[in-house]
Amino acid sequence: MKKLVLLFLITTLSFSQNASRQFSKFELKDKTISIQTNDGEYLFNYLNNKIIETSFVPRNEKFNSSSHSKVIENGFFKNEILENENEIKIVTDNIKIVITKKPFQISYLDKENKLILSEKNGYIKKDSTETLDFNLTSDEVLYGGGARVLGMNRRGNKLQLYNKAHYGYENKSELMNYTLPIVISSKKYMLHFDNAPIGYLDLDSKKNNTLTYETISGRKTYQIIVGDTWEDLVSNYTLLTGRQPLPPRWALGNFSSRFGYHSEAEARKTIQKFKDEKIPIDAIILDLYWFGKEMKGTMGNLEVFRDSFPNFEKMVADFKEQGVKTVTITEPFILTNSKKWKEAKAKKVLATNNDSSPATWDFYFGNTGLVDVFKPEGKEWFWTIYKDLHNKGVSGIWGDLGEPEVFPSSANTFAGKADEVHNIYGHEWAKLIYEGYQKDFPTERPFILMRAGAAGSQRYGMIPWSGDVNRTWSGLSGQTEIALQMGMQGLGYMHSDLGGFAGDNLDDELYIRWLQYGVFNPIFRPHAQEDVPSEPVFRSDKAKALAKQAIELRYQLLPYNYNIAFENSQTGKPLMRPLFFEEENNEALLTKSDGYLWGNDFLIYPVTTSNQKTKEVYFPNTANWYDFYTGKKYQGGTTQIVQLNEDNIPTFVRGGSFIPMAKLVQTTDSYNLEQFDLHFYFDDSMKISSGKLFNDDGYSTNTFKDNKFEKVTFRSKFKAEKLEIRVASDHEFISNTDKDVTLKIHNISQEPRKIRINKKRVKYTWNSNLSLLEIKVRLINDKKAQIEIQF
């Protein structure tokens, strides 16, 4: 740190803060900047040069340093502190803090000295709540607040922070399972309120350019995160709260799931239908009937119901032999008439009343208590159940009702009152499973499907979904918004019950459009109430055929999808990305969610209206785009009307991109890269381009850290009528082998004069009608293939 420098500065900030708050003293406390006021203390910490943490500690209170979200320690980056009689300025390369002494004001500026954000009244104590408020500029678009269906711009809404299911929602939902105290501004900053208790996030509902965080109690701590780009912003946020570990590869395959399979015979019959129809399948999810015959009165048994599943372990083993993993549902509710009630009560692993007796209440499934996942004994007791399931061969865990669905305010947990921990219950639940795997199955990647979580839950491998959406076109229409918003907030695997969950609407067109959209989703998992089948094998012949086509494409795209999943694990970049990520200065895109980017190279426009014949598509101006199915070229920066067909939804590929595609397999257990197709979308405006492909065994932890992976890189260069493409493999992989690559180059309008690979002339196939050039490339391990195409 540079020594204190005294300068006279003239501030351009016109806002003033709480009129009764007065500056008292400035000092450095180790790596913390302290500002004393008459009613408390501000503590500023630079976590890195793009993240500032600010806490206010009211007089007569002690600072609570405990955070459920933050994973990086306080840092102290190069800065300079400037002080005069009017203000103090802390300067770093990216964020500056300005403290105006009189009238008192806290403001944050970017590297160009433009105002990012300023406190309005700052901390205010009310009768039953506490608030932190900030000044907004009138032109800011605001995102965040978790999973909602409100439109991409959430400004103007007051958002309750209380995780709660919304059964049967459609194209509007103000309160859902994931409520996150996060605000993201179109000015490319994020504001994260690092506090667990329930409350509200007011995004200028009174239209007075004010952002307010309101809570019942807890920390008065927030972090401001900035980024040079949208992707950089999300990357910095996930650096703060943790990154999603790479899921097992089978999680990117097709799931067989419904509410629910009543018996072993029914589950076996369903999987056999997939095998008979040759529809790829990787997992089956068992809903609550695995531990009881009836929907009500059995929750909390958490033991195999042998009347219905007499040979559970053999069934699971048989499925695994076929490449199908078994995932079982669990809930945190232990009914008072369940098999586990007496044990849970005796071991004192339940939430309690004030007299330390188990807290009980009635809800839809019966009279119940709740496992205290914050209590060490509760964690250990719950984990023994999961460990036993794992030892029975179960490969994944589904945590349902974890908001928790019903959690009276009067209940107590080891970590505090119900309302103080309600929003982080699912977070702690996922944590205990994740840490259980680390302890007892450290080489295996967990699959943890959860209906509720908190900021930072992604670091525990949580796979979120969007709850009990109605099985209607309106239900489908809001799903892209939810997924895009959650990806920006760190939870990149947000997805939906494909086909819709609630209601008995048997609409094959809706079902197919939802599954076609699901091809370009983080998780492909049709799921529904049992009134209408969610599995394609039980739908009409036409629907089944179209669903099979979509699922097969999902499996062919495994190399691309696995690569963007790896990228997410390393950088936090969402798998699904808003179009404004691509065109940062296009204000018209800031509120759009009708189209999105799947990874870097696919442009997707879901079909969300029945019997729709055409679709208006905007093509970002950063590239030209090519129809994935027909090869038709679309000029970047244009809006065009495209014709729809029932076989697929509008799907376009970035000019200059490389799309690796696998040979079709029936399960990811058979996946390999010994043979694969590499599609290159030639565009003469892209003089150079590159791509990559990550590969490992698909199930072990730490393959990247331990160098047990391979990375195939692709590069292109076009100059003077010559196209050069290089394909190279580097890093050791435990099963690395030579590869036969079929290079398919699109948009080649004239036949080449000659083609060489590593300076040797080779044969090729050119289809003039499709403008498609195919070249067989043998990629020898640890060597590269240099392809030269002369026109």
Side-chain angles (χ1 to χ4, degrees):
M1 186 197 74
K2 294 184 178 179
K3 65 181 182 180
L4 198 67
V5 180
L6 298 179
L7 290 177
F8 290 95
L9 302 174
I10 300 175
T11 180
T12 60
L13 305 174
S14 58
F15 299 118
S16 62
Q17 203 159 307
N18 185 343
S20 62
R21 185 162 295 137
Q22 300 174 11
F23 173 83
S24 175
K25 185 174 66 172
F26 158 72
E27 62 181 323
L28 295 177
K29 294 181 177 180
D30 191 17
K31 295 181 179 180
T32 300
I33 299 162
S34 169
I35 300 293
Q36 300 280 349
T37 69
N38 62 310
D39 61 344
E41 179 184 22
Y42 277 90
L43 301 173
F44 300 96
N45 284 288
Y46 279 92
L47 305 184
N48 64 28
N49 62 0
K50 292 185 178 180
I51 306 174
I52 289 177
E53 179 175 277
T54 300
S55 299
F56 184 76
V57 186
R59 190 168 299 282
N60 300 321
E61 286 190 21
K62 291 184 178 180
F63 175 58
N64 176 7
S65 62
S66 178
S67 167
H68 68 275
S69 296
K70 187 176 74 170
V71 296
I72 60 175
E73 298 297 325
N74 293 352
F76 200 58
F77 285 70
K78 181 180 178 182
N79 64 67
E80 127 178 286
I81 300 176
L82 311 172
E83 183 178 18
N84 64 24
E85 62 182 18
N86 297 318
E87 65 181 18
I88 300 167
K89 183 181 287 188
I90 300 101
V91 180
T92 67
D93 291 340
N94 289 283
I95 311 179
K96 302 174 180 66
I97 307 171
V98 178
I99 300 102
T100 306
K101 295 179 180 179
K102 188 174 183 180
F104 186 79
Q105 177 73 50
I106 303 291
S107 303
Y108 305 91
L109 281 66
D110 67 14
K111 57 187 175 184
E112 297 176 352
N113 289 316
K114 294 179 181 177
L115 181 66
I116 300 171
L117 189 70
S118 63
E119 290 194 357
K120 190 168 189 174
N121 293 299
Y123 170 75
I124 297 292
K125 174 69 175 175
K126 298 184 177 181
D127 290 340
S128 58
T129 63
E130 303 168 307
T131 63
L132 289 165
D133 66 4
F134 301 82
N135 294 295
L136 294 169
T137 56
S138 60
D139 58 340
E140 287 181 75
V141 174
L142 300 180
Y143 314 96
R148 325 259 179 172
V149 189
L150 297 168
M152 283 297 283
N153 185 5
R154 294 178 172 176
R155 186 166 182 164
N157 291 282
K158 185 176 182 180
L159 308 177
Q160 186 177 3
L161 298 173
Y162 188 88
N163 292 352
K164 187 176 179 61
H166 183 174
Y167 177 82
Y169 73 91
E170 294 187 315
N171 59 357
K172 184 173 183 180
S173 183
E174 296 180 356
L175 186 62
M176 295 177 66
N177 311 71
Y178 287 84
T179 63
L180 306 180
I182 297 170
V183 183
I184 308 171
S185 168
S186 56
K187 292 165 64 175
K188 286 203 279 293
Y189 71 81
M190 294 180 70
L191 187 60
H192 169 235
F193 296 97
D194 195 348
N195 189 41
I198 65 172
Y200 289 88
L201 196 58
D202 191 328
L203 305 183
D204 195 26
S205 67
K206 296 179 181 177
K207 303 191 183 307
N208 59 353
N209 296 326
T210 304
L211 162 66
T212 304
Y213 170 68
E214 182 176 3
T215 183
I216 59 170
S217 62
R219 285 155 50 87
K220 276 64 75 172
T221 295
Y222 60 88
Q223 291 105 15
I224 296 177
I225 307 103
V226 299
D228 296 328
T229 65
W230 284 106
E231 291 179 350
D232 183 45
L233 179 64
V234 177
S235 182
N236 292 332
Y237 169 74
T238 56
L239 186 65
L240 170 71
T241 58
R243 298 209 167 116
Q244 179 100 21
L246 186 62
R249 183 155 43 222
W250 62 262
L252 301 180
N254 177 33
F255 287 70
S256 178
S257 182
R258 69 157 66 182
F259 180 29
Y261 301 113
H262 292 258
S263 66
E264 177 181 335
E266 187 178 1
R268 285 183 178 274
K269 175 186 174 184
T270 301
I271 294 303
Q272 190 57 51
K273 285 281 287 181
F274 277 94
K275 297 299 181 181
D276 292 344
E277 299 284 354
K278 290 185 167 43
I279 296 178
I281 183 73
D282 258 271
I284 183 169
I285 293 183
L286 301 181
D287 214 310
L288 50 78
Y289 298 112
W290 73 266
F291 55 69
K293 189 175 182 62
E294 304 297 333
M295 179 168 46
K296 295 184 179 182
T298 60
M299 188 173 290
N301 287 347
L302 297 177
E303 296 176 7
V304 176
F305 184 57
R306 296 291 175 179
D307 286 1
S308 299
F309 293 86
N311 304 296
F312 182 86
E313 292 84 353
K314 187 175 188 310
M315 177 193 73
V316 171
D318 289 346
F319 285 161
K320 188 171 288 188
E321 183 68 22
Q322 299 176 74
V324 179
K325 319 305 182 293
T326 301
V327 179
T328 50
I329 195 173
T330 57
E331 301 90 356
F333 295 97
I334 311 298
L335 298 189
T336 54
N337 64 340
S338 69
K339 293 179 180 179
K340 289 280 192 288
W341 175 256
K342 289 183 179 179
E343 177 187 338
K345 182 179 179 181
K347 290 183 178 291
K348 298 183 179 180
V349 299
L350 300 165
T352 63
N353 296 310
N354 290 337
D355 63 3
S356 297
S357 63
T360 60
W361 56 87
D362 292 327
F363 81 135
Y364 180 79
F365 295 96
N367 186 253
T368 192
L370 182 74
V371 178
D372 187 349
V373 297
F374 302 95
K375 190 175 184 180
E377 295 86 349
K379 292 182 180 182
E380 184 61 30
W381 182 83
F382 220 174
W383 173 244
T384 59
I385 292 169
Y386 292 121
K387 186 175 180 180
D388 179 64
L389 284 169
H390 183 278
N391 291 336
K392 285 179 166 60
V394 170
S395 299
I397 296 301
W398 175 9
D400 199 17
L401 312 183
E403 295 79 25
E405 182 161 294
V406 181
F407 195 14
S409 300
S410 59
N412 300 292
T413 73
F414 185 78
K417 299 286 290 185
D419 288 348
E420 293 175 321
V421 300
H422 177 94
N423 286 344
I424 59 169
Y425 187 94
H427 179 86
E428 287 293 318
W429 188 10
K431 178 182 178 182
L432 80 85
I433 299 171
Y434 181 76
E435 292 181 344
Y437 267 82
Q438 287 184 314
K439 177 170 65 78
D440 291 321
F441 315 113
T443 63
E444 183 179 342
R445 301 177 201 172
F447 176 82
I448 306 171
L449 183 68
M450 284 276 174
R451 200 172 80 170
S457 290
Q458 68 275 357
R459 68 177 180 267
Y460 300 127
M462 181 183 285
I463 305 292
W465 89 97
S466 61
D468 298 337
V469 59
N470 213 13
R471 204 180 312 195
T472 60
W473 290 98
S474 291
L476 170 59
S477 68
Q479 295 307 307
T480 305
E481 176 194 337
I482 295 172
L484 294 177
Q485 290 270 358
M486 290 292 278
M488 293 171 68
Q489 296 170 76
L491 286 150
Y493 284 83
M494 172 57 76
H495 65 288
S496 64
D497 291 341
L498 298 181
F501 176 80
D504 58 359
N505 180 15
L506 181 59
D507 184 334
D508 278 345
E509 184 193 4
L510 169 65
Y511 176 77
I512 290 304
R513 290 308 195 191
W514 214 317
L515 266 61
Q516 290 169 344
Y517 160 68
V519 172
F520 304 97
N521 274 203
I523 301 293
F524 190 96
R525 187 183 57 83
H527 180 70
Q529 291 175 324
E530 58 191 334
D531 299 328
V532 175
S534 57
E535 310 92 338
V537 293
F538 298 122
R539 303 294 290 230
S540 69
D541 288 344
K542 181 178 179 180
K544 180 168 57 180
L546 289 171
K548 180 180 181 180
Q549 183 176 313
I551 293 166
E552 288 178 344
L553 176 58
R554 174 77 176 186
Y555 275 74
Q556 290 171 301
L557 286 172
L558 273 169
Y560 181 88
N561 293 350
Y562 196 63
N563 192 73
I564 63 174
F566 169 71
E567 183 181 57
N568 171 265
S569 73
Q570 299 302 302
T571 67
K573 289 181 183 178
L575 288 79
M576 296 173 63
R577 303 167 190 176
L579 294 185
F580 57 79
F581 273 42
E582 190 74 6
E583 281 190 49
E584 297 188 352
N585 297 319
N586 188 341
E587 294 184 0
L589 297 179
L590 291 174
T591 58
K592 296 287 188 181
S593 62
D594 55 333
Y596 63 95
L597 293 165
W598 174 240
N600 185 66
D601 297 321
F602 277 100
L603 174 64
I604 307 298
Y605 276 82
V607 177
T608 58
T609 303
S610 177
N611 200 32
Q612 191 172 357
K613 302 302 182 185
T614 61
K615 182 86 172 178
E616 184 177 276
V617 171
Y618 176 72
F619 296 93
N621 65 12
T622 48
N624 294 319
W625 300 86
Y626 294 84
D627 189 300
F628 180 66
Y629 302 101
T630 69
K632 182 178 178 180
K633 178 180 178 179
Y634 291 89
Q635 190 76 30
T638 65
T639 299
Q640 302 196 38
I641 303 298
V642 301
Q643 298 295 315
L644 301 183
N645 64 73
E646 64 181 9
D647 292 341
N648 48 67
I649 59 175
T651 304
F652 309 93
V653 184
R654 180 191 302 274
S657 65
F658 291 91
I659 307 295
M661 294 182 67
K663 302 301 181 183
L664 182 62
V665 294
Q666 294 299 302
T667 168
T668 57
D669 281 4
S670 302
Y671 173 85
N672 68 75
L673 289 178
E674 293 179 12
Q675 294 182 332
F676 71 93
D677 296 336
L678 178 60
H679 295 259
F680 176 63
Y681 287 81
F682 173 69
D683 188 302
D684 58 12
S685 68
M686 299 290 292
K687 302 306 181 184
I688 59 173
S689 65
S690 63
K692 58 188 176 182
L693 170 57
F694 176 85
N695 188 36
D696 61 9
D697 65 18
Y699 59 85
S700 300
T701 55
N702 299 321
T703 56
F704 184 65
K705 179 181 178 182
D706 297 339
N707 283 322
K708 293 181 178 179
F709 70 96
E710 64 178 335
K711 184 171 65 174
V712 185
T713 58
F714 320 116
R715 298 186 185 280
S716 75
K717 180 181 178 181
F718 180 63
K719 184 178 181 181
E721 300 302 310
K722 185 169 77 171
L723 174 63
E724 296 178 353
I725 294 176
R726 190 185 75 164
V727 182
S729 179
D730 61 7
H731 286 285
E732 293 295 327
F733 177 42
I734 196 167
S735 61
N736 205 359
T737 60
D738 298 345
K739 296 175 176 60
D740 289 316
V741 181
T742 301
L743 178 60
K744 298 186 176 185
I745 307 177
H746 299 257
N747 196 36
I748 299 298
S749 58
Q750 62 179 353
E751 185 174 4
R753 290 194 293 111
K754 58 184 175 181
I755 297 177
R756 290 189 175 95
I757 299 179
N758 295 335
K759 298 185 178 181
K760 293 182 180 180
R761 197 157 184 166
V762 297
K763 295 180 179 180
Y764 60 88
T765 301
W766 177 62
N767 187 319
S768 59
N769 293 326
L770 298 178
S771 298
L772 180 66
L773 176 65
E774 291 194 20
I775 308 167
K776 299 293 185 181
V777 180
R778 179 75 170 170
L779 185 61
I780 308 299
N781 187 25
D782 294 332
K783 293 185 179 179
K784 67 178 182 291
Q786 187 80 22
I787 302 105
E788 297 180 2
I789 304 165
Q790 188 71 51
F791 295 102

